[in-house]
Amino acid sequence: MIPQKLADLPHAEWLTPHDGTWGPDGDHDTVLFENLALADLAASGSRFMECAFTGVTLDGGGLRSARFLDVWAQEMRLVGTDLTETQWRDSTLIGSVFAGTRTISANLTRVVFQECKLDSVNLRDSTLVDVTFTDCLLRDVDFGGARLTRTSFPGSRLDRTVLAGATLDQVDLRGADLGITIDPHTIRGAIVSPAQLLDLAPLLAGALGIEVKEPPPS
């Protein structure tokens, strides 16, 4: 079961409030970050282990190469933040927003996004393994060159989402509203429903250079 509230976390009783210190290569273990609004944060290379974020807004700034391990976040907002080469593992994000983030070459393993909004997020060349997007909105998200394995999108809407150039392996698109850009090889390794296959037919035809026309009048 996905913890829906802070109190549901198995380590909730050990969380300690953040003391207000930030900086590159910081080490944060079982820390609670709550109701914070920070601009231009410089915390590249930091490690967050069994931490919780609730009501936190990061505007700009850099968390490049930071590691988020067994992290839980609710109503977190990251706007224009540099998340390049970050690592996310065994983490859950609920009702959170990623807007204009640079998440290039990130590594996400066993991560759950629930009711999140990803808007203009650059995930190019990233690796996603066992990642679930449940009831999310992905608008103008770029997965170009990314590798997605056992990733699913139940109840999510993919709006102008770029999958061209991505490598898919057991990627389950069933139950998602697909507004995607693909190339001839993209959809290989995906799981779709019969209805989605019909919807994807024009995209597949265009990607393969097939011109579809009505027959000439007899």
Side-chain angles (χ1 to χ4, degrees):
M1 294 291 292
I2 298 172
Q4 298 295 313
K5 298 181 297 183
L6 186 62
D8 296 335
L9 297 177
H11 52 276
E13 61 181 298
W14 291 291
L15 290 170
T16 57
H18 182 235
D19 62 8
T21 60
W22 295 91
D25 302 313
D27 197 356
H28 308 279
D29 198 338
T30 57
V31 175
L32 172 62
F33 300 88
E34 189 173 23
N35 300 326
L36 299 173
L38 303 168
D40 299 323
L41 177 69
S44 61
S46 293
R47 183 186 75 108
F48 301 88
M49 176 71 180
E50 292 189 335
C51 292
F53 297 80
T54 178
V56 173
T57 297
L58 302 181
D59 188 354
L63 285 161
R64 190 183 185 102
S65 300
R67 291 173 291 163
F68 298 85
L69 312 174
D70 199 6
V71 161
W72 182 88
Q74 186 175 50
E75 297 181 2
M76 185 177 183
R77 294 177 56 88
L78 293 94
V79 181
T81 306
D82 185 2
L83 299 172
T84 300
E85 297 178 350
T86 49
Q87 179 183 144
W88 302 74
R89 191 176 71 213
D90 297 317
S91 296
T92 299
L93 299 104
I94 301 172
S96 296
V97 175
F98 291 72
T101 62
R102 297 180 297 282
T103 319
I104 303 166
S105 299
N107 194 312
L108 289 75
T109 303
R110 297 184 299 277
V111 177
V112 174
F113 294 86
Q114 180 180 304
E115 298 179 353
C116 292
K117 180 179 179 181
L118 287 76
D119 196 340
S120 301
V121 174
N122 188 343
L123 278 158
R124 293 186 68 86
D125 299 322
S126 293
T127 300
L128 289 76
V129 179
D130 295 317
V131 176
T132 303
F133 297 88
T134 301
D135 298 327
C136 294
L137 170 61
L138 288 78
R139 176 183 292 140
D140 292 318
V141 174
D142 190 352
F143 287 106
R147 293 161 296 284
L148 287 72
T149 302
R150 295 186 302 276
T151 296
S152 60
F153 301 84
S156 291
R157 179 183 172 191
L158 281 64
D159 184 6
R160 300 190 300 272
T161 296
V162 176
L163 288 172
T167 301
L168 311 186
D169 181 9
Q170 302 177 65
V171 172
D172 197 341
L173 297 172
R174 292 174 297 179
D177 182 2
L178 301 179
I180 59 177
T181 301
I182 60 174
D183 59 30
H185 306 291
T186 297
I187 212 67
R188 181 180 297 162
I191 304 168
V192 300
S193 69
Q196 285 176 320
L197 183 58
L198 291 175
D199 292 338
L200 287 170
L203 284 176
L204 291 170
L208 292 169
I210 300 172
E211 190 173 0
V212 181
K213 291 184 177 181
E214 292 290 340
S218 55

